[in-house]
Amino acid sequence: MINQQISEIAQRLHGLRDALEISASEMAAKTDITEDQYNLYESGNADIPMNYLCKVGQVFGIDTAVLINGDETHAQTYFVTRKGGGISVERSKAYKYRDLAGGFRGAKATPFLVTVDPSDAPMHLNSHPGQEFNLVEKGRMLLSIDGKEITLEEVMIIIL
């Protein structure tokens, strides 16, 4: 079941496309996905990966935070996110994202604090191009990179 937040992000995707006066096929082509996949995202009936929202932001020159919560970013020199702060996105029960630079305009990277609830249920694996920084604060996390499995434990860092 898709949550209200995903539906709102889908509406913002549609609004962006409408404002740019481009078709769904053009939007899909510019962001390197199929038109069917784009239509699924815009319908609000599917989870929208964070890496896709970052891609949309890069391609169209808007901050990811605008897509996530609809608010314009304003900070240009610095931005402070206090403990427990940031723009919260709960894509599913397993993954909770917090955009830690959601108010900073023109950020060169989008740092997310991602909380993954422990579970014995099969986990959906995420894959995306680009780079990633992972820091495990508590617990352990298994990463699979190019067929190699790496277990990260507390205060271990991997940069992809």
Side-chain angles (χ1 to χ4, degrees), residues 15-29:
L16 173 64
R17 188 174 62 76
D18 189 48
L20 295 171
E21 297 180 345
I22 61 174
S23 67
S25 63
E26 288 175 285
M27 184 75 153

Side-chain angles (χ1 to χ4, degrees), residues 9-45:
I9 293 169
Q11 289 172 13
R12 286 189 278 280
L13 277 176
H14 175 77
L16 173 64
R17 188 174 62 76
D18 189 48
L20 295 171
E21 297 180 345
I22 61 174
S23 67
S25 63
E26 288 175 285
M27 184 75 153
K30 288 179 182 285
T31 56
D32 299 320
I33 63 171
T34 66
E35 183 177 358
D36 286 344
Q37 187 64 54
Y38 177 77
N39 285 329
L40 196 57
Y41 292 162
E42 191 177 288
S43 73
N45 293 320

